[in-house]
Amino acid sequence: MASDQPPKLGEDELSQHIGAMALQTDTLLDAIFTDYTNHHASERLVEAMAYATLNGGKRIRAYLVYGGAGVINGQNDQAPQHGIARVAAAFECLHAYSLIHDDLPAMDDAATRRGKPSCHLAYDEATAILAGDALQTLAFAVLADPDTHQDDRIRADLVLELASAAGCAGMAGGQMLDLEAETRRFSQSETMQMQALKTGALITSSVVAGGRFAGADQASLTQLRTYGQAVGQAFQIADDLLDAEGDEAIVGKPLGQDDWRGKATLVAHLGLDAARKEAERQVRLAKEALGRIPNSAPLWLARLTALADFIITRKA
Amino acid sequence: MASDQPPKLGEDELSQHIGAMALQTDTLLDAIFTDYTNHHASERLVEAMAYATLNGGKRIRAYLVYGGAGVINGQNDQAPQHGIARVAAAFECLHAYSLIHDDLPAMDDAATRRGKPSCHLAYDEATAILAGDALQTLAFAVLADPDTHQDDRIRADLVLELASAAGCAGMAGGQMLDLEAETRRFSQSETMQMQALKTGALITSSVVAGGRFAGADQASLTQLRTYGQAVGQAFQIADDLLDAEGDEAIVGKPLGQDDWRGKATLVAHLGLDAARKEAERQVRLAKEALGRIPNSAPLWLARLTALADFIITRKA
């Protein structure tokens, strides 16, 4: 057990560190795309993949990958090991693929993503479908490559971890349930399951993958999983609260203030106050799980703790 | 070197065996889908995945997986090991995903697939996109699972093998080039590269993956790769020849007899006779590569030889 209180980390300090780590991830992603372009892959396809991936995302999933490894193996340096950066990049590729396909006309039909035309508008629909497909493949190619980790077992486990989170019993299944939620009223438990799969599974898997990379034992992986699930829940509720009562000027996108009541969200089921309390409860659960990781590294413990707090205090 | 001539195998015998092996693959695929349905995955999504996968396909890729393993480890039994059947199933999931996305309105806009409504018509476009996505994920989940092979290194290598064949420098890259071929005239070498990526990469990877599963050394893997590439080339030319001069009643789909000249095919570049000669040359190269595999198992050697011959003599 971590006997000492971890050092406290302010929001600004955390944001800065997340930004610095995002830069590392983006640099590696850029190098990976450049490498493919130089090796006879279709230039247009790789360009579309890079366009949709290198778009100024906050790289929260990458940060959770770094955090899951850091809290186990105590590496605090600003420059992450090459291998863990590859794991982080793989999770961001998987996430980027899901956003490209989410934005397609047959799905959310979104015209913009992070203020830029979505991939199918910047290129075309066929290219966007293929770019998403190839980004998913790339995520698994990166994880399985010996360059990521010298231990074969860990690489195979990382692939299985990501595949379990992304597939029909994870993210893709959650997206399907989300489509079904438009056609009939979801119960509270159905809503929770949908959200746990659609966004929670990949968030959870990110921090667990970091732990796997660092060789965490089963007990620690279980705590990381509990942390990730709780953070994922809190994250989703906070998003829905922002959508219901946030400041459009700060959030930077149109909000659905007037129609949150009918939606498949916990806010709609519980109301604003109870939803906020539930998010706070999840943050407590997340921090308790961190506290149960033996020999955890203090600095990364502080960062993951601050990240959990930050989720429900953020304004955008 | 295989010192004895392998036993000759007739077309009927080969077809029967391919059919028997396809049944094994389909039985396993069915069990995998049922298992997911029982484990809280979205029922509609898994149903769409199963619909698009269990559609009476010939399972040539699965057969090449079995063949690549069989020629190395000599397992001749009708009932394949559970592990190799899982590898075969994974390759068919990957292939099925590519067909679902190929058929989408933004891609080939195909109304039918093997005589049934294509996935996006049987369900809807969003479901078809997600079903394809989840089938790709499933392929990697199956390969990385310890149930597939006890050797961690082999599982990681199988994932990397499939990912290399499927991604932007493989199948997806080839599909992108195929879209580009509609907008400008491709040279002969561009046409060959496009086809090598679009269909050749997965065919090649199937037989190499079988070899990897069976623990083949690098020299044998190289021969299996050469075999796969040559078979893939011959397969594509034979397809284009059928399209140009086949019998619609036998082939069972509308053929493009009148407009083969303008297309990005080797038949268009070389003409019918030279293309046929090139296919025959590729079949010879394929058989020569098989002959260079040390200690190869005679029955599977005969099967893979017959498969290469069968490619250019088939009528449908």
Side-chain angles (χ1 to χ4, degrees):
Chain A
M1 300 285 272
S3 51
D4 305 309
Q5 283 293 316
K8 267 271 186 186
L9 209 71
E11 256 188 52
D12 286 355
E13 213 179 332
L14 177 68
S15 290
Q16 261 176 31
H17 192 245
I18 292 175
M21 299 304 277
L23 204 62
Q24 306 269 6
T25 312
D26 285 3
T27 303
L28 178 60
L29 283 166
D30 193 34
I32 290 172
F33 292 129
T34 304
D35 190 53
Y36 270 107
T37 307
N38 294 341
H39 285 83
H40 310 296
S42 160
E43 217 169 298
R44 181 179 163 84
L45 181 59
V46 180
E47 201 188 286
M49 293 162 72
Y51 173 85
T53 309
L54 300 169
N55 62 357
K58 286 192 291 292
R59 310 290 180 221
I60 293 297
R61 287 153 195 83
Y63 196 73
L64 286 167
V65 169
Y66 292 124
V71 80
I72 298 297
N73 68 12
Q75 294 229 341
N76 290 324
D77 48 347
Q78 292 283 329
Q81 284 183 305
H82 182 62
I84 191 68
R86 288 176 60 89
V87 179
F91 274 75
E92 292 293 340
C93 287
L94 202 294
H95 181 52
Y97 122 65
S98 77
L99 298 181
I100 297 176
H101 284 191
D102 254 359
D103 287 343
L104 287 169
M107 305 279 287
D108 287 352
D109 196 14
T112 61
R113 169 67 63 181
R114 299 204 151 267
K116 291 193 308 178
S118 34
C119 189
H120 64 276
L121 292 178
Y123 293 84
D124 55 63
E125 215 179 313
T127 304
I129 292 169
L130 289 175
D133 289 344
L135 275 168
Q136 175 171 199
T137 319
L138 179 59
F140 292 111
V142 167
L143 291 181
D145 193 301
D147 202 17
T148 296
H149 202 296
Q150 63 185 13
D151 187 324
D152 305 318
R153 171 66 181 272
I154 285 180
R155 293 202 309 284
D157 282 351
L158 287 171
V159 169
L160 195 54
E161 178 67 44
L162 178 58
S164 305
C168 60
M171 186 184 75
Q175 286 170 307
M176 190 74 233
L177 292 176
D178 199 20
L179 291 170
E180 287 179 40
E182 287 171 18
T183 64
R184 66 179 177 84
R185 186 164 164 76
F186 266 34
S187 70
Q188 183 176 330
S189 79
E190 283 177 314
T191 299
M192 287 181 70
Q193 204 216 352
M194 181 267 283
Q195 293 183 338
L197 296 177
K198 192 186 175 192
T199 56
L202 193 60
I203 286 175
T204 303
S205 181
S206 303
V207 72
V208 173
R212 287 192 185 281
F213 179 91
D217 58 20
Q218 281 305 323
S220 295
L221 290 177
T222 300
Q223 300 309 333
L224 286 175
R225 199 172 291 284
T226 303
Y227 170 83
Q229 285 164 344
V231 158
Q233 284 271 7
F235 187 84
Q236 188 62 55
I237 298 171
D239 242 26
D240 294 336
L241 284 169
L242 277 177
D243 198 50
E245 49 174 18
D247 183 335
E248 260 184 38
I250 300 177
V251 178
K253 65 176 180 183
L255 299 175
Q257 268 105 339
D258 295 330
D259 59 351
W260 58 268
R261 284 180 181 79
K263 287 186 181 171
T265 71
L266 268 196
V267 174
H269 281 288
L270 300 175
L272 295 167
D273 285 346
R276 194 173 300 106
K277 285 213 174 63
E278 174 61 17
E280 287 162 3
R281 191 178 76 89
Q282 294 292 344
V283 168
R284 275 198 307 279
L285 291 176
K287 294 197 281 191
E288 283 167 21
L290 285 180
R292 284 192 295 268
I293 298 173
N295 306 314
S296 56
L299 189 46
W300 271 109
L301 193 62
R303 286 167 180 159
L304 291 181
T305 301
L307 183 66
D309 281 325
F310 180 46
I311 286 170
I312 49 171
T313 56
R314 73 200 160 101
K315 301 281 179 292
Chain B
M1 301 283 273
S3 51
D4 303 310
Q5 284 292 316
K8 268 273 188 185
L9 209 72
E11 258 188 48
D12 285 354
E13 212 178 333
L14 177 68
S15 290
Q16 260 175 31
H17 191 245
I18 291 175
M21 298 305 276
L23 204 61
Q24 306 268 6
T25 311
D26 284 3
T27 303
L28 178 59
L29 283 166
D30 193 34
I32 290 172
F33 292 129
T34 304
D35 189 51
Y36 270 106
T37 307
N38 293 343
H39 284 82
H40 311 294
S42 159
E43 215 169 299
R44 181 179 164 84
L45 181 58
V46 180
E47 200 187 288
M49 291 162 73
Y51 173 85
T53 309
L54 301 168
N55 62 357
K58 286 192 292 289
R59 309 289 179 222
I60 293 298
R61 287 154 196 82
Y63 195 75
L64 286 167
V65 169
Y66 292 124
V71 79
I72 299 295
N73 68 13
Q75 294 229 340
N76 290 325
D77 48 347
Q78 292 283 329
Q81 283 182 303
H82 181 62
I84 192 68
R86 288 177 59 90
V87 179
F91 274 76
E92 291 294 341
C93 286
L94 202 294
H95 181 53
Y97 123 64
S98 77
L99 298 181
I100 297 176
H101 284 191
D102 254 358
D103 287 344
L104 287 169
M107 305 279 288
D108 286 353
D109 196 13
T112 60
R113 169 67 64 183
R114 299 202 154 270
K116 290 194 308 178
S118 34
C119 189
H120 65 275
L121 292 178
Y123 293 84
D124 55 65
E125 216 179 314
T127 304
I129 293 168
L130 289 174
D133 289 343
L135 276 167
Q136 175 170 196
T137 319
L138 179 58
F140 293 110
V142 167
L143 291 180
D145 194 301
D147 203 18
T148 296
H149 203 296
Q150 63 184 16
D151 187 324
D152 305 317
R153 172 66 181 270
I154 286 179
R155 294 203 309 284
D157 282 352
L158 287 171
V159 169
L160 195 54
E161 178 68 43
L162 178 58
S164 304
C168 60
M171 186 184 74
Q175 286 171 307
M176 189 75 234
L177 292 176
D178 199 21
L179 291 171
E180 287 179 41
E182 288 171 17
T183 64
R184 64 179 178 84
R185 188 164 164 74
F186 265 33
S187 69
Q188 183 176 328
S189 79
E190 284 177 314
T191 298
M192 286 180 71
Q193 204 216 353
M194 181 268 282
Q195 292 182 339
L197 295 178
K198 192 186 174 191
T199 56
L202 193 61
I203 287 175
T204 303
S205 182
S206 304
V207 72
V208 174
R212 288 192 185 280
F213 179 91
D217 58 19
Q218 282 305 323
S220 295
L221 291 177
T222 301
Q223 300 309 332
L224 286 175
R225 199 172 291 282
T226 303
Y227 170 82
Q229 285 164 344
V231 159
Q233 285 270 8
F235 188 84
Q236 188 62 56
I237 298 170
D239 242 26
D240 295 334
L241 284 169
L242 278 177
D243 198 50
E245 51 175 18
D247 183 334
E248 262 184 38
I250 300 178
V251 178
K253 63 176 179 183
L255 299 175
Q257 268 105 339
D258 295 328
D259 60 350
W260 58 268
R261 283 178 182 81
K263 287 187 180 172
T265 70
L266 267 196
V267 174
H269 281 287
L270 302 175
L272 294 167
D273 283 348
R276 193 174 299 106
K277 284 211 172 66
E278 174 60 17
E280 286 161 5
R281 190 179 75 89
Q282 293 293 345
V283 168
R284 275 198 307 279
L285 291 177
K287 293 196 281 192
E288 283 166 21
L290 284 180
R292 284 191 297 267
I293 297 174
N295 305 314
S296 55
L299 189 46
W300 271 110
L301 193 62
R303 287 168 180 158
L304 290 181
T305 302
L307 183 66
D309 281 326
F310 179 47
I311 285 169
I312 48 170
T313 56
R314 72 201 162 100
K315 300 281 179 291

